[in-house]
Amino acid sequence: MTKRVRRIVILLVILVVLCVATLLASLYNEKQEQIQNSNEIVLSISTDSVAAVSWEVDDTALGFTLDSETGTWIYDDDSGFPTSTSEIENLLSVFEEYEADFIIEEVDDYSQYGLDDPVMTINITLDDETSYEITLGNFSTLDSERYVSIGDGNVYLAVVDPYDTYDVELSDMIEDDTIASFTEATEIVFTGVENYSIYYEADSTNTYCSDDVYFVSDSDLPLDTDNVETYIGYIRNTGLNDYVTYNASDDELELYGMNNPVLTITATYPVTETDDDGEEVTSTETVTLTIGVNQDELTEAQEALEDEDDEVDISSLSLYVRVNDSQIIYELASNRYNYLISCGYDDLRHAEVLTADYSSIYQLDFTIEDVTYTIYSELSDPDDEESDRVYYYYYDGEVIDADSLSEDDDISNYRVEVDIDDIESAIDAVTAESYTSEEADGKLELSLTAYLDNENYPEVTVELYRYDGTYCLAVINGEPTSLVTRSAVVDLIETINSIVL
């Protein structure tokens, strides 16, 4: 080994020894520092005593001051910003009882903890003008806890890292509008692309389905309760997350389409509260959603249409929503827009061709190929009107009318019990694919008449006419209503045939 090589080897050995010694010293010193103290409350600031809070992280600097007269928090850079009190309280709660795992006392060199150039600085001022500067440094190499200084000459390893709470943007601090969690409405009014209203009425005489409680105001036509309740869910979950402005000017209201909305939805809903006497008192409240589209984008899209009869796909443009008269305008996601815009009668009406409660049906007539088959029912307990119905098909080798049987005839010889569930499932599967008022001109595939224990609607007749190879036209009580799949009609016919043939 040459002298030069020997010298290099010696130097490398010395370097390795120094590195190991430095690492061991660092680990030993850190361990020593951590052992000094543990699990101690090092800072206790009552949220109610704070008059101002500010923080800086990266390129973000935010500050808020409490208005002692109104009790509201004011954003230092814009008094018009609607600050969320709960968000401020969440920030301040970190230091209500701030605990450290370990304390490093009498620190001389803050740089080794990253506190000479902190990743975040938090300033809190109390109403007695006491102030705290809290700085956040690096993570400990041993336990990955944050080094924190509260300005008392010590460095602490935090149990809770304030960075996780204070790493927010201005948009996170806004007092968003809220929509109450109502599940039913006494009235919903639509204006814009839809112009009509819905009202609520339990036990209405305008329907033969006991589940129906929502109706079109002008016509009293029943709506599907499930569909309306789903739509109310769309209102509740509009998605007030991303605002485009928190203090809309007149020009912005115009730009975002609030002066010429695509749709305005006004829902009135019941609110039940307990008064001073412990009695429940019900009143109503109202929420209005105004949906607009970016007017500049709309104009540009309209000008780009090749055919003047074409329509712009509104959902592809920038959409916005406003709650009541709030100055906050929110972006509206296209999928939420599509949900809210689906509020027409055809969107909310029943899709089934027969909506009657089967417990109220005492007779069903089916006409297939000019032959009528009748299914009767009896109460399982004639003395109990609430008892279940039992359904029978009457026959004697040919279709007969059970009423024609004499007293001497043993009725059990002329009937077979029918599983109404099979028939019910087959009927329920006949649902609208689309709605139409087109008159029927095809062959009558099937006619169904349900006789009901309902003085307002003693019977309902559904006629299903062949429309084409795919669809049949449903006519309900003489009114063309919808196109249904022919396969569902064929399945219903086969279900009836399996019982009567």
Side-chain angles (χ1 to χ4, degrees), residues 168-330:
V168 295
E169 299 177 353
L170 180 62
S171 59
D172 299 312
M173 302 303 299
I174 194 171
E175 183 70 72
D176 283 316
D177 297 303
T178 58
I179 300 174
S181 297
F182 63 99
T183 56
E184 65 179 42
T186 57
E187 183 183 49
I188 307 176
V189 179
F190 303 102
T191 55
V193 293
E194 297 290 345
N195 287 280
Y196 77 108
S197 62
I198 295 170
Y199 70 90
Y200 178 98
E201 183 179 69
D203 302 320
S204 175
T205 60
N206 294 316
T207 179
Y208 53 82
C209 177
S210 61
D211 291 335
D212 290 345
V213 293
Y214 292 101
F215 303 86
V216 177
S217 295
D218 291 340
S219 61
D220 296 324
L221 291 171
L223 299 171
D224 187 314
T225 299
D226 288 340
N227 290 344
V228 176
E229 289 180 347
T230 297
Y231 189 83
I232 289 173
Y234 296 153
I235 296 176
R236 289 197 314 268
N237 299 294
T238 297
L240 307 177
N241 301 316
D242 302 316
Y243 70 86
V244 291
T245 180
Y246 56 78
N247 193 12
S249 64
D250 290 343
D251 288 343
E252 287 174 324
L253 291 174
E254 178 69 32
L255 173 63
Y256 300 138
M258 296 299 115
N259 297 339
N260 184 30
V262 177
L263 177 67
T264 300
I265 308 160
T266 300
T268 302
Y269 54 91
V271 178
T272 301
E273 298 176 322
T274 303
D275 63 16
D276 296 337
D277 297 326
E279 299 292 332
E280 288 190 345
V281 178
T282 300
S283 59
T284 58
E285 294 185 4
T286 298
V287 61
T288 297
L289 299 182
T290 305
I291 300 172
V293 60
N294 187 293
Q295 297 298 290
D296 290 346
E297 294 181 13
L298 178 61
T299 298
E300 183 178 344
Q302 289 172 333
E303 291 175 349
L305 293 176
E306 296 181 2
D307 190 332
E308 62 181 16
D309 293 330
D310 291 340
E311 294 184 0
V312 174
D313 178 11
I314 298 295
S315 64
S316 67
L317 307 180
S318 297
L319 299 159
Y320 313 96
V321 63
R322 181 188 194 187
V323 180
N324 299 328
D325 294 325
S326 172
Q327 291 303 105
I328 307 175
I329 307 298
Y330 302 89

Side-chain angles (χ1 to χ4, degrees), residues 75-91:
Y75 175 43
D76 293 343
D77 290 347
D78 185 353
S79 60
F81 181 83
T83 304
S84 169
T85 298
S86 62
E87 291 296 335
I88 294 290
E89 291 176 347
N90 181 56
L91 295 174

Side-chain angles (χ1 to χ4, degrees), residues 15-54:
L15 179 60
V16 170
V17 171
L18 289 174
C19 289
V20 172
T22 301
L23 177 61
L24 292 175
S26 174
L27 294 175
Y28 176 80
N29 287 337
E30 186 170 18
K31 182 177 180 182
Q32 289 294 100
E33 291 165 350
Q34 293 173 356
I35 291 174
Q36 292 179 24
N37 282 294
S38 64
N39 302 112
E40 181 179 335
I41 302 299
V42 298
L43 188 60
S44 182
I45 300 176
S46 171
T47 299
D48 295 337
S49 67
V50 178
V53 59
S54 62

